[in-house]
Amino acid sequence: MLEPSARSHATFPQRSRSKPMPADCGLNSLARIACGSGRGPVILRTTADDGDKVLAAEDAGRAPLREIQYCDALAEYRKEHGLFSVTLLAARIGEELVRAATHDIAAVSEESSRDLEKVREGAAAELHELVAKREAYLCYAVAHANRGPLDPLTVSIGGDCYRRDQVDLAHVLDRSRDLARAMLRKSVVIFPDLPALHGGKKGEWIIVDENGRRIDGLSDLTVVALGALAIPQGIQFLNAQKTERLRTQGVAGRFPPENVIRPDTASPDVLSGAHWNRMVRTWQGRGHSLSYFSCAPPDLGGLSFPSSTPTGRGVATSAMRLAARYFPDRSPSSLRILVEALGGVSREVIEALIRDFGVPPTNISAFDPVPDLVRDCGSKGIRAVSATNADFYRKNLTDEYDVWINNGLGDDVLHEHVDALLNHGVRIFCGGANNFLALADRHRSLSSIFERGAVAWPDEAASGGGWTMAVLDLYKRCQRLPNGTNEQFEKEALGIISHRNSNLIDLVYDRAERSQETSIGEALWRGVDELVRRRVQKAREDEVLAPEDILRAADVSNWDLQHRRA
C-alpha cells in the first residue's frame, strides 16, 4: 500500500508571508505543489459541493480533509468543464515508494519464483535509476462526470489506463474528462432502467517530472507496478468519502453490504488490461478487498472470459442488426464485411460473425499493421492485409464491401477514408473503437454518409460489452454467488449484451423509418444521439432519489438484468 512513514508525509503548502505563491500554479504543477517538500502521497479532491475549494488528505481512508493552497487550478478546471468531481493522487517517487511498488508484485500463471524475482528487481532497478537522475512523481487522476441519481451510492464504472501517447498531467485530465462522459453515455445506453449504474467515471495514471510532463522510457511492468500502487489508494479514498456522505445522510448501515456494488471500482483498460491478472493478485496479496476491483480472475470469483469477448459480441450484434434492417432481403452469408484492426475485440467480432451469424470467413476482410495478427487471422480463412490505417485506405482498398466495423485506435478515420469506403460500396458504418470517426472530420464524414444513403452507428452504442462485463462481474461477486454458477451466468451475460444492443437499434431504427424529414442515415444518427442526450441529461440533473428509493435501487437483488426494453 502507498503509505509512507509519517516523516515522509507531504507538507501542505500554507499561505504565509514567508512562503510566496509558486510562480506556476497551473494543472501541470499540481503534483509538485501538493507534495511540497515531502513525498506524499497527497490526494486532492474538488467537487461541485466544494465550490472553489480544493481539499486534500494524506491518507486514503482515515485522515480528515483540509483545504490546500495554490491548487485552485484543479477546481477551476472542474467548473470550466462541468464535471461533478476531479480527484488527483500525487506522490513523489523515492526509495520508500519504489520498495512499496515492487517488492511484492504478484506472480501470474506458471511464472517461476526466479522469473518473478527478475520482474521485481527489474522494476526496482528502473525506478532507482530514475530517481537518482531526476525529480519524478506518480499521479493518478479520476474524473466523475456527474453526481448520479443515487448520490453516493451511484455506481461509477470506468477503466483505469496508462497510455504511451500521454503528454502531461493536463492531457491526462482532459482524457479522463472525455472518457468519464463517454462512460456515462454507455451506462444510460445499456441499462436505462437501472439508475444505480448511471455514473460516469474514468481514471488514468501517469509518471511526470516537476513540470508535469510525462517521463518516458519505463517498461510496461514498471509502469504497471506504479499503477498497482496508486489505484487502490485513489479508489479507497473515493469510497471512504462516499461512505462518510452516506453517514451524514443517515443511509449507511441500512442495507446488506453483500447486495450493493461499491460506488467506485477500478477496471481494466489500456495497458492495465494486459496485466490485470497480475494487478488483481498483487492487490489480493496486499490485503485489499477485491470488491474495489472489477473483472477478477475466474479463480477469485470473476468471469472466465476477457472483456474483449462481450465487447466483440456486442459490436458484432450491432453490425448485423443494422445490416438486417438496412438489407432486409439479404442473408448474413451474402454480406461482405471489412474490419479495421485485429486486436482482441476484432478477433471476437470475427468469431461471432462466423459462429453466431453464419458469415463465411471468405466474406470477411481485415487489416492491421502487426504482421503476426494478420497471419493468425489469415490462417482462419479471413482475407487479411498487413497495413496501417492510412496505407490501407490509400493503397489496399480495392474490393467491394457492405459493412465496415472499426475496432482500431480511434479518432483517425478521416473524411477521405470515409469517401473511399463509400466508393467501395460500404453502406453500414459501425463503431467499435472510441471515436470511430476522427472528431476533427466527423461532421463532414457523417454528411457524406447520409448523402450517399448509408447509415452510421456510434461506438458508444455498440461497444459497451466490456463495460457491461464489469457490471455483471461485480453484480455476481457482491452477492457471493458460487463459482459453480459461472457457466449459466456467463451465457446469460452475453445474451443480455446481445439483446440490449439489438433492441436499442430496433427502437431507434423504427423511429427513423417513420421520420419524413431527413435521410434514414441522418434520422438514425440523430435519433440515437437525442435518445442518449436525454438520458444523460436526466442522469446529470442532480435530482437525487429519496433515501428509501436509493436503498431499493442500489440493492442488486432488485435489478432485472434480463429487462428487454432498450
Side-chain angles (χ1 to χ4, degrees):
M1 294 176 64
L2 194 57
E3 294 182 351
S5 64
R7 66 177 179 274
S8 66
H9 274 179
T11 301
F12 290 156
Q14 300 295 315
R15 189 180 298 278
S16 67
R17 294 179 181 177
S18 61
K19 186 167 185 176
M21 179 182 293
D24 179 8
C25 296
L27 293 173
N28 284 329
S29 300
L30 287 172
R32 172 173 49 82
I33 294 172
C35 292
S37 59
R39 296 196 176 276
V42 176
I43 303 176
L44 306 181
R45 185 199 82 177
T46 177
T47 75
D49 296 331
D50 299 327
D52 295 330
K53 296 179 181 178
V54 177
L55 304 180
E58 298 180 22
D59 184 280
R62 295 178 296 277
L65 291 173
R66 53 192 293 193
E67 188 173 357
I68 185 170
Q69 303 296 319
Y70 309 142
C71 293
D72 300 4
L74 195 64
E76 292 168 1
Y77 180 87
R78 183 203 62 74
K79 290 172 63 179
E80 178 185 355
H81 296 285
L83 296 170
F84 172 70
S85 71
V86 181
T87 304
L88 177 67
L89 179 147
R92 185 168 177 178
I93 301 176
E95 297 300 316
E96 192 171 0
L97 188 146
V98 171
R99 182 182 182 282
T102 61
H103 83 282
D104 59 351
I105 297 172
V108 291
S109 63
E110 302 301 318
E111 190 172 46
S112 68
S113 57
R114 182 176 180 181
D115 288 339
L116 176 60
E117 196 57 34
K118 287 182 179 179
V119 168
R120 293 172 174 173
E121 291 177 354
E126 280 191 48
L127 292 174
H128 284 311
E129 182 179 359
L130 171 65
V131 299
K133 293 179 178 178
R134 64 197 304 183
E135 194 173 317
Y137 296 86
L138 167 62
C139 296
Y140 172 53
V142 180
H144 284 82
N146 63 323
R147 180 192 301 274
L150 275 60
D151 200 1
L153 277 181
T154 302
V155 176
S156 300
I157 294 176
D160 296 277
C161 70
Y162 176 93
R163 297 180 182 237
R164 292 291 178 184
D165 66 348
Q166 293 170 339
V167 177
D168 53 27
L169 181 56
H171 179 227
V172 164
L173 288 168
D174 283 347
R175 178 153 50 208
S176 299
R177 171 202 66 201
D178 294 343
L179 293 178
R181 293 169 176 165
M183 293 305 102
L184 175 57
R185 291 173 69 87
K186 275 187 180 179
S187 72
V188 299
V189 164
I190 300 167
F191 292 116
D193 48 308
L194 296 178
L197 296 171
H198 294 174
K201 165 258 174 188
K202 200 69 175 182
E204 183 167 351
W205 78 98
I206 182 174
I207 299 92
V208 300
D209 61 17
E210 66 274 19
N211 297 313
R213 302 283 298 181
R214 171 178 174 255
I215 294 176
D216 203 355
L218 297 175
S219 68
D220 283 356
L221 282 172
T222 299
V223 170
V224 165
L226 292 173
L229 195 61
I231 289 171
Q233 291 288 297
I235 295 298
Q236 289 174 23
F237 170 82
L238 289 165
N239 281 283
Q241 294 301 306
K242 291 179 180 180
T243 298
E244 183 59 31
R245 187 168 175 81
L246 286 171
R247 290 196 187 100
T248 63
Q249 294 176 342
V251 177
R254 296 175 59 190
F255 51 84
E258 66 272 13
N259 283 348
V260 176
I261 296 174
R262 289 191 184 273
D264 283 281
T265 51
S267 295
D269 205 294
V270 176
L271 187 64
S272 62
H275 300 272
W276 198 245
N277 192 340
R278 187 189 297 278
M279 295 176 82
V280 173
R281 294 183 190 284
T282 298
W283 292 326
Q284 182 193 37
R286 292 174 179 171
H288 295 300
S289 169
L290 295 188
S291 62
Y292 287 117
F293 316 107
S294 75
C295 305
D299 62 304
L300 297 181
L303 305 180
S304 67
F305 45 67
S307 62
S308 58
T309 298
T311 303
R313 172 74 70 91
V315 172
T317 298
S318 295
M320 297 308 290
R321 190 60 194 158
L322 286 168
R325 297 299 301 258
Y326 190 90
F327 300 115
D329 298 326
R330 292 181 61 178
S331 67
S333 62
S334 72
L335 296 173
R336 301 158 299 177
I337 300 173
L338 174 63
V339 179
E340 175 167 339
L342 286 169
V345 172
S346 279
R347 293 196 294 274
E348 294 288 350
V349 167
I350 290 170
E351 183 175 338
L353 290 173
I354 297 169
R355 180 193 62 236
D356 301 331
F357 296 99
V359 178
T362 52
N363 279 27
I364 302 174
S365 300
F367 68 91
D368 193 284
V370 180
D372 287 346
L373 295 178
V374 171
R375 280 193 293 271
D376 179 64
C377 196
S379 68
K380 299 174 183 176
I382 309 300
R383 302 168 64 189
V385 174
S386 180
T388 63
N389 165 292
D391 285 344
F392 182 84
Y393 294 121
R394 186 172 65 251
K395 302 176 183 178
N396 300 101
L397 190 59
T398 57
D399 296 324
E400 294 289 308
Y401 308 99
D402 303 301
V403 179
W404 173 75
I405 301 172
N406 181 6
N407 289 314
L409 295 174
D411 203 23
D412 58 2
V413 175
L414 305 174
H415 176 249
E416 63 191 76
H417 302 152
V418 170
D419 266 352
L421 289 165
L422 287 164
N423 291 337
H424 284 268
V426 173
R427 290 299 176 264
I428 294 173
F429 292 76
C430 186
N434 289 323
N435 299 324
F436 79 119
L437 300 175
L439 289 176
D441 270 5
R442 192 170 75 167
H443 180 74
R444 286 205 306 154
S445 295
L446 288 172
S447 294
S448 293
I449 290 171
F450 302 154
E451 288 169 3
R452 301 283 286 273
V455 299
W457 193 251
D459 44 272
E460 62 196 9
S463 63
W467 181 91
T468 307
M469 174 191 169
V471 171
L472 297 175
D473 168 62
L474 293 166
Y475 169 87
K476 172 181 179 290
R477 287 194 288 124
C478 81
Q479 297 178 91
R480 301 175 185 173
L481 298 178
N483 284 351
T485 64
N486 252 17
E487 184 175 350
Q488 180 61 28
F489 184 84
E490 290 176 0
K491 182 178 179 181
E492 292 175 358
L494 292 173
I496 288 168
I497 294 165
S498 296
H499 281 293
R500 287 188 177 258
N501 280 24
S502 292
N503 289 350
L504 178 64
I505 287 172
D506 285 340
L507 172 68
V508 180
Y509 215 108
D510 287 344
R511 293 175 180 174
E513 286 184 326
R514 293 194 294 268
S515 172
Q516 303 297 318
E517 300 177 6
T518 58
S519 67
I520 183 64
E522 186 171 358
L524 188 68
W525 184 269
R526 182 186 297 173
V528 69
D529 184 62
E530 290 178 352
L531 181 70
V532 175
R533 282 177 184 272
R534 286 198 302 271
R535 292 176 178 177
V536 167
Q537 182 59 36
K538 184 177 180 181
R540 292 181 65 108
E541 283 176 350
D542 278 354
E543 292 186 5
V544 178
L545 299 177
E548 294 304 322
D549 293 330
I550 288 176
L551 295 173
R552 191 179 305 109
D555 187 341
V556 301
S557 65
N558 294 325
W559 294 5
D560 179 10
L561 296 180
Q562 298 287 352
H563 192 58
R564 294 293 187 251
R565 182 174 65 84

